[in-house]
Amino acid sequence: MALEPYRRLLRLPGVRTLLLVGLLARVPSTATGMALTLHVVEGMRLGFGQAGLVTMASTVGMAVGSPLSGRFVDRHGLRPVLAVTTGAQAAFWAGAWALPFPALVVAAALSGLLALPVFSVIRQCLTAMVPLEQRRMGFSLDSMIVELSYMTGPALAVAGVTTLGSGPTMAVIACGMTAAGLGLIALNPPTRSAEELASEQERVPRRRWLTPGLVALFGTAAAATFVLTASELALVGTMKNAGDTEWVGLAVALWCVYSLLGGFVYGGLSRGFSPLGLIAGMGLLTAPVGLAAGDWRWLVLAMLPAGLLCAPALSSTVEAVSGRVPAAARGEAMGLHGTALLVGGALSAPIAGAVIDTHGPAWAFAVAGAVGVVMVAVAVPFWRGRSAEAIPATAEEPVPAAAAP
């Protein structure tokens, strides 16, 4: 695979800096879930049930707050939203270690509601800064960076809590969140391209762009994270049952490398694929993985085909959202996309856990793959090719029937 297309992408004004800041800013964000869990279990000496309640409160807050933050970015610009969310994260993580459990649950929900919108903001700004013909590569590279941050953040949280304790680790996360927010404020990347600003698009009513096809796309994005979360739990469950727990970190790292390779190759293709096809393929290739559960090395090898589709599947959903939504509503749409990803992962964990407990990890792979395929089948009738260019900027008048595609 030639590196020159990626070099051309990184030579675009501001793109290299945006991606670098995005990587550094996402690391503390990906460490938060693990840090909260370990703080409740190790620092407060409570059970995993209470830890799950705290992380659930945070996740619900993020699911609600993500599209709200995007909507405020669309209306008021990036810096005011970043200023508020950075202050909220700094306050929560600086003092969360001292809160009693009931107060921690409430504070975690509020912190999630005012989460730093680094994931959706980077994607929104990348859409504005990268020409249409290079966006597939840009989103693929961004998905690879997200993969790297998820490989780094939780591991650092575990290392911090086990060596320093939960209080100092939370203080480090507070510093990291503050630095991430201030870095994005200082960078202030554009959320709309020069052409979009010149066209002076007015606000588009939500009913114009939030079509059944876009909702179906969000559903398939949720299915993708459902498959990924269930696969991770099934992998860990299989290795635990076999007594190979010490190799879990290596197995997960290899799985992440598969995704990185897939994203790199997909970004260099001359044309992309439908996100529905990629997610359906990921589901079909995940379902039989449990048949190789006898040896963890064969199991990790069996996860290679589906793993190669992880980053392409997720980046294709971002690309599809960017092409279906007008620039004036892009922040809210990216926020809804983030909510879909959170919902898929949140639903997957208890379902996959129940399947592992009752029927074994091999069946969790089968259920994960089946859910991905079924969700795509449900979405297919609603899938349409309507792009953002087909949506009028002023949406007070209905589109004449003759003008419909």
Side-chain angles (χ1 to χ4, degrees):
M1 178 64 66
L3 293 175
E4 183 56 32
Y6 283 96
R7 292 194 183 102
R8 288 198 299 269
L9 173 69
L10 294 175
R11 281 197 292 264
L12 293 174
V15 170
R16 182 182 305 178
T17 304
L18 176 68
L19 292 175
L20 178 60
V21 171
L23 171 62
L24 298 176
R26 282 165 167 152
V27 170
S29 295
T30 57
T32 57
M34 184 64 69
L36 280 175
T37 298
L38 293 179
H39 170 66
V40 173
V41 174
E42 300 292 337
M44 305 182 77
R45 304 297 180 186
L46 299 175
F48 280 96
Q50 290 93 330
L53 184 60
V54 173
T55 55
M56 183 184 71
S58 176
T59 301
V60 170
M62 286 189 287
V64 175
S66 182
L68 293 177
S69 296
R71 189 173 178 84
F72 278 112
V73 170
D74 290 334
R75 291 190 173 188
H76 305 292
L78 189 57
R79 278 180 166 166
V81 175
L82 290 174
V84 172
T85 54
T86 299
Q89 294 307 299
F92 172 76
W93 288 102
W97 62 273
L99 296 175
F101 180 74
L104 181 62
V105 174
V106 175
L110 293 175
S111 174
L113 186 67
L114 295 173
L116 192 66
V118 59
F119 289 87
S120 58
V121 161
I122 296 298
R123 290 162 180 156
Q124 182 181 2
C125 297
L126 200 60
T127 304
M129 297 169 68
V130 176
L132 182 61
E133 63 273 11
Q134 292 179 282
R135 282 182 189 171
R136 181 178 303 110
M137 183 176 294
F139 291 136
S140 296
L141 190 56
D142 181 66
S143 292
M144 295 161 64
I145 288 173
V146 170
E147 199 78 57
L148 290 173
S149 66
Y150 272 105
M151 292 171 65
T152 306
L156 290 177
V158 172
V161 173
T162 54
T163 58
L164 303 175
S166 59
T169 300
M170 288 181 162
V172 172
I173 291 177
C175 294
M177 287 288 194
T178 303
L182 293 177
L184 286 170
I185 290 172
L187 184 62
N188 193 30
T191 57
R192 302 186 196 179
S193 66
E195 293 79 7
E196 291 164 347
L197 290 173
S199 65
E200 296 184 354
Q201 286 189 332
E202 297 182 16
R203 187 172 63 87
V204 182
R206 192 181 292 109
R207 68 179 182 275
R208 288 280 181 166
W209 57 265
L210 192 56
T211 61
L214 189 60
V215 173
L217 177 63
F218 291 148
T220 56
T225 51
F226 187 101
V227 174
L228 295 176
T229 302
S231 297
E232 182 178 9
L233 292 174
L235 172 63
V236 174
T238 301
M239 297 183 68
K240 181 180 178 182
N241 290 347
D244 295 320
T245 308
E246 67 272 16
W247 298 106
V248 168
L250 176 60
V252 173
L254 289 173
W255 186 37
C256 292
V257 170
Y258 299 161
S259 179
L260 290 173
L261 291 174
F264 181 79
V265 173
Y266 183 74
L269 297 179
S270 58
R271 59 176 299 180
F273 298 97
S274 165
L276 271 65
L278 290 170
I279 294 170
M282 188 168 65
L284 288 171
L285 293 170
T286 297
V289 166
L291 297 175
D295 187 309
W296 73 269
R297 289 162 290 194
W298 287 110
L299 177 65
V300 173
L301 185 61
M303 296 179 72
L304 172 61
L308 290 173
L309 295 180
C310 292
L314 293 175
S315 65
S316 67
T317 61
V318 179
E319 183 183 5
V321 171
S322 70
R324 287 171 169 261
V325 177
R330 190 179 292 145
E332 184 176 1
M334 290 296 179
L336 287 170
H337 178 269
T339 295
L341 298 179
L342 286 170
V343 169
L347 291 176
S348 178
I351 294 174
V355 172
I356 291 171
D357 290 340
T358 54
H359 301 290
W363 280 103
F365 285 112
V367 170
V371 168
V373 173
V374 169
M375 189 63 228
V376 169
V378 171
V380 166
F382 303 98
W383 185 250
R384 297 289 184 271
R386 192 183 191 195
S387 65
E389 287 76 13
I391 303 175
T394 58
E396 302 303 322
E397 299 276 340
V399 178

